[in-house]
Amino acid sequence: MQMGNIVFITGATSGFGRAAARRFAAAGWSLILTGRRLKRLQALQDELGGRVPVHVAALDVRDAAAVRQVVGELPEAFRQVRVLINNAGLALAPQAAQQVELADWHTMIDTNVTGLVNVTHALLPTLIATGAGASIVNLGSVAGQWPYPGSHVYGATKAFVQQFSYNLRCDLLGSGVRVTDIAPGMAETEFTLVRTKGDQVASERLYSGTTPLTAEDIAEQIFYVASLPAHININRLEVMPTRQAWLPFAVDRD
């Protein structure tokens, strides 16, 4: 038996992904939740499964074969995905580029670029079959547009997300499938803890004394663009806290 609207979320175990799961569930959407931490997925399934159908699958998006397997083995009732939220991603190594381990660069590229490509490629046939109103929502970052010290490969991967989203729009013209790059600014999630490898003090310092975005703020924007009438596509949505803006150019002086 086919259900109503179905959303496929990567990185659903925390942050924007988990908040998006709750937001879509509140609107009655069926959920496919993926992430690397199965216990967190199961906890979210226990939380939301009484309201809407929920299917969970442990998944590392960097593994193309695993992505194909998860998509290929979706239960029949969950197969007609209407919205893909490519949320899985991370930042590592906020130090200057010359101080960073190469492995951290590779991890960001493999997750933020290769992982996003793996999932998108696997679900494109389904989304095209769904047609008008189907959506791909890619989680980018203001770092993909605006450089800052320590962003190096992270910012470059998010610039890829932006351009990949635009190029998908070109190729999918006429299919009815929409593509949006949502680019958050400062948002208080586990982002900084991951980036600093568990430095709670660094995380608290970043967000103290200001009002950052929340995961729920971004989830609301994701839901908004995915639930617009089928003839509307938001190409890119850059969302920053009111209390965050840009600094002048840095200048090296004698």
Side-chain angles (χ1 to χ4, degrees):
M1 177 180 176
Q2 187 62 50
M3 294 178 291
N5 292 327
I6 301 169
V7 57
F8 188 113
I9 306 175
T10 68
T13 56
S14 65
F16 303 149
R18 182 168 59 191
R22 290 169 173 156
R23 180 63 183 89
F24 278 80
W29 286 58
S30 299
L31 309 175
I32 302 167
L33 307 178
T34 70
R36 290 184 299 165
R37 293 172 284 190
L38 182 58
K39 287 185 178 180
R40 287 199 179 191
L41 291 174
Q42 291 169 336
L44 200 53
Q45 184 177 38
D46 291 342
E47 174 190 339
L48 302 176
R51 285 188 273 167
V52 296
V54 180
H55 174 73
V56 301
L59 177 64
D60 185 336
V61 296
R62 298 174 295 181
D63 186 337
V67 170
R68 289 193 299 269
Q69 182 176 353
V70 165
V71 172
E73 294 179 355
L74 287 174
E76 185 64 33
F78 285 89
R79 287 187 176 274
Q80 201 59 54
V81 176
R82 184 175 181 84
V83 172
L84 165 61
I85 301 173
N86 276 315
N87 169 70
L90 78 168
L92 295 172
Q95 301 83 10
Q98 60 270 30
Q99 300 169 353
V100 173
E101 295 290 335
L102 180 60
D104 286 338
W105 280 5
H106 284 172
T107 298
M108 287 186 281
I109 294 168
D110 292 345
T111 307
N112 301 354
V113 175
T114 305
L116 181 146
V117 166
N118 288 343
V119 179
T120 302
H121 190 270
L123 279 169
L124 267 178
T126 296
L127 293 163
I128 291 170
T130 297
S135 301
I136 299 170
V137 181
N138 295 324
L139 267 296
S141 169
V142 295
Q145 184 81 10
W146 310 104
Y148 62 87
S151 184
H152 39 76
V153 165
Y154 174 70
T157 64
K158 294 305 183 178
F160 172 88
V161 172
Q162 177 179 331
Q163 197 61 35
F164 182 58
S165 299
Y166 289 170
N167 290 340
L168 275 177
R169 283 274 290 123
C170 296
D171 291 342
L172 292 172
L173 183 66
S175 70
V177 180
R178 305 178 291 190
V179 186
T180 300
D181 168 29
I182 292 188
M186 179 186 289
E188 188 169 5
T189 65
E190 294 181 6
F191 176 87
T192 302
L193 278 177
V194 172
R195 192 173 201 184
T196 60
K197 299 184 178 178
D199 189 338
Q200 184 67 43
V201 173
S203 180
E204 292 173 357
R205 185 187 308 120
L206 177 64
Y207 304 119
S208 67
T210 190
T211 310
L213 300 171
T214 67
E216 290 72 25
D217 293 332
I218 299 304
E220 193 64 41
Q221 303 311 308
I222 294 170
F223 182 77
Y224 166 71
V225 301
S227 57
L228 285 168
H231 69 287
I232 302 174
N233 190 106
I234 303 296
N235 295 327
R236 185 170 186 271
L237 183 58
E238 185 174 290
V239 187
M240 295 175 71
T242 303
R243 299 181 72 182
Q244 181 184 24
W246 307 274
L247 288 171
F249 285 112
V251 178
D252 178 30
R253 302 183 186 278
D254 293 331

